Amino acid sequence: MTDAYIYDALRTPRGKGRKDGSLHEVTALRLSALTMNALKERNNLEGHAVEDVIWGNVTQVMEQGGCLARSAVLASDLDERIPGLAINRFCASGMEAVNLAANQVKGGAGMAYIAGGVEMMGRVAMGSDGAAIAADPSIAMDSYFVPQGISADIIATQYGYTRDDADMLAVESQRRAKVAWDDNRFANSVISVKDVNGLTILDHDEYMRPQTDMQSLGSLNPAFQAMGEMMPGFDKVALMKYPHLEKINHIHHAGNSSGIVDGSAAVLIGNKEFGEKYGLKPRARIKATTKIGTDPTIMLTGPVPATQKILEDNGMTIDDIDLFEVNEAFASVVMLFMDKFNVEHEKVNVNGGSIAMGHPLGATGAMIIGTLLDELERQDKEVGLATLCIASGMGAATIIERV
């Protein structure tokens, strides 16, 4: 098998996912096309330069429905001979797009791919596509379905994380994100979103709240306590699955959970011959990829077994990894990862994460791979691992190595 390299990675800023957000008037189609165009222009791609565009988006209805990947290719400046594949692995959709593309390249199915994703959460509401696991009793009851926020609180209860633990991680995420922006660490990766007249709509992550402190977070009510305790009550469902827990400790709220935002990201992946043909220098090799299924009730523990699997499959240990990006879907997810692997926080989410900057579902996986690569270069480190928890109980991970 041949090696698959990352030649470029970029993203849009994350806009607030609501009606007053700066990207609210931009469709998923247009934002995707803009991101693809930026990748094309930065790398002087002409003609049928890539084999395919693999594009993740989670809520695949209305304007995000159909094969959004192909629609975005046609709406962009890419050659119409390039097809498109829309995929959905929930929160890991953007990462899975990158992993699929890398493995296609490794297997010889084309020299290069564009991979990434998009989510316009302010325009197409999360959950508006429906989900059998939530709506169909024949699977919801057997799988002990609870919403993700309850799952995050189950993790906190199971492993003894307190509200203060989660809030301290959230404050640190905000601080790190501000430092990263003030230090221009995203300058090479974040593209400006412009309107049809060429005027800038957004050039920074607008969800951030750098003034956040423990006192301000302390004033927020637990976001998932009511749905947990109301009749019939998701807490009771969880306790049926985990009878050793006396009650669910609800510690998560808007301030220590990932933000609802709009955004897009793209990664250019190719083999050695592709780089030589277009005069491009590879930035990193995609060393390994993996995915795994996990307990669907606690749901969000996936980064742990996914990381265990990818390390074991490749004869590596956690000490072989210099930096980590663990998606901050909820604070407890990151705390569990650090505890299970005894990894210092200084190596994890160095520039903040989705608690501070937001989590555009279909794009986040590609975003954190790009962020990881940028930080490896900035610190002159060699190997990084990115991983996400996934709805319905899954995990995914990617290991990249600088070249």
Side-chain angles (χ1 to χ4, degrees):
M1 296 180 70
T2 188
D3 284 328
Y5 298 101
I6 297 176
Y7 284 95
D8 199 6
L10 54 79
R11 69 172 177 92
T12 69
R14 297 162 168 106
K16 295 177 182 177
R18 56 193 192 205
K19 291 183 178 180
D20 63 348
S22 295
L23 299 181
H24 184 69
E25 299 305 317
V26 182
T27 65
L29 175 65
R30 180 162 173 259
L31 198 68
S32 298
L34 182 153
T35 308
M36 293 175 192
N37 285 343
L39 202 65
K40 175 183 183 294
E41 293 165 7
R42 284 192 4 170
N43 297 280
N44 299 312
L45 303 179
E46 298 297 337
H48 199 170
V50 299
E51 187 75 16
D52 201 355
V53 171
I54 305 179
W55 210 240
N57 66 293
V58 174
T59 311
Q60 297 184 343
V61 294
M62 299 180 289
E63 62 193 51
Q64 288 187 171
C67 183
L68 181 60
R70 175 58 176 166
S71 298
V73 169
L74 295 175
S76 75
D77 297 331
L78 294 174
D79 193 298
E80 67 178 11
R81 291 174 292 174
I82 299 171
L85 171 65
I87 67 163
N88 182 1
R89 200 188 290 279
F90 296 129
C91 297
S93 295
M95 175 176 284
E96 187 63 21
V98 172
N99 291 353
L100 281 173
N103 291 325
Q104 292 284 84
V105 170
K106 289 181 180 182
M111 289 201 306
Y113 285 72
I114 291 174
V118 68
E119 206 78 32
M120 303 306 289
M121 300 181 73
R123 295 180 62 89
V124 183
M126 179 172 54
S128 59
D129 55 342
I133 196 168
D136 188 334
S138 69
I139 185 173
M141 294 178 66
D142 289 344
S143 64
Y144 294 88
F145 170 80
V146 298
Q148 286 190 39
I150 303 292
S151 297
D153 287 337
I154 295 172
I155 293 174
T157 306
Q158 172 79 12
Y159 295 99
Y161 301 128
T162 67
R163 168 73 176 258
D164 281 351
D165 294 333
D167 286 357
M168 284 189 288
L169 187 141
V171 169
E172 180 63 8
S173 180
Q174 295 284 353
R175 187 194 70 79
R176 292 182 180 190
K178 182 180 187 303
V179 169
W181 272 101
D182 290 347
D183 201 28
N184 293 318
R185 295 181 189 176
F186 301 131
N188 185 53
S189 300
V190 176
I191 59 173
S192 297
V193 179
K194 301 179 183 297
D195 65 16
V196 294
N197 298 312
L199 299 176
T200 298
I201 299 174
L202 187 65
D203 61 3
H204 63 280
D205 291 324
E206 107 181 298
Y207 182 79
M208 292 165 52
R209 301 177 299 279
Q211 73 283 359
T212 299
D213 57 22
M214 292 294 288
Q215 184 175 0
S216 62
L217 293 183
S219 66
L220 300 176
N221 293 323
F224 309 104
Q225 185 168 356
M227 71 169 65
E229 296 178 353
M230 70 172 63
M231 293 300 294
F234 287 111
D235 282 6
K236 291 183 178 179
V237 175
L239 294 174
M240 289 173 62
K241 180 74 173 285
Y242 313 113
H244 61 284
L245 302 177
E246 293 185 8
K247 58 174 290 189
I248 305 302
N249 182 23
H250 293 285
I251 70 165
H252 289 93
H253 50 75
N256 58 30
S257 307
S258 56
I260 294 174
V261 295
D262 304 322
S264 178
V267 181
L268 179 61
I269 300 159
N271 60 19
K272 181 180 178 181
E273 289 72 25
F274 170 77
E276 292 173 345
K277 179 177 179 180
Y278 287 92
L280 301 174
K281 182 179 179 181
R283 296 173 61 190
R285 178 170 68 97
I286 298 180
K287 182 177 177 66
T289 69
T290 200
K291 60 276 185 183
I292 196 167
T294 65
D295 181 337
T297 305
I298 201 168
M299 193 186 309
L300 306 175
T301 58
V304 173
T307 297
Q308 290 169 336
K309 183 176 188 297
I310 201 170
L311 293 175
E312 291 170 5
D313 288 350
N314 291 276
M316 302 175 69
T317 71
I318 201 71
D319 294 331
D320 294 322
I321 309 298
D322 296 313
L323 293 173
F324 302 85
E325 284 289 322
V326 183
N327 186 41
E328 293 178 350
F330 300 90
S332 62
V333 174
V334 182
M335 292 190 289
L336 178 63
F337 181 91
M338 291 190 294
D339 285 350
K340 286 294 185 179
F341 294 104
N342 194 27
V343 174
E344 297 177 355
H345 198 187
E346 287 70 21
K347 293 183 177 182
V348 180
N349 303 341
V350 173
N351 297 305
S354 292
I355 289 175
M357 294 175 283
H359 176 19
L361 305 178
T364 303
M367 285 185 173
I368 65 173
I369 289 174
T371 299
L372 179 62
L373 176 54
D374 284 344
E375 189 60 22
L376 286 171
E377 291 174 339
R378 189 184 75 86
Q379 293 194 28
D380 195 23
K381 302 290 187 181
E382 298 300 320
V383 182
L385 181 147
T387 184
L388 302 93
C389 60
I390 309 172
S392 300
M394 293 184 283
T398 306
I399 295 176
I400 63 174
E401 180 180 44
R402 286 181 60 208
V403 297

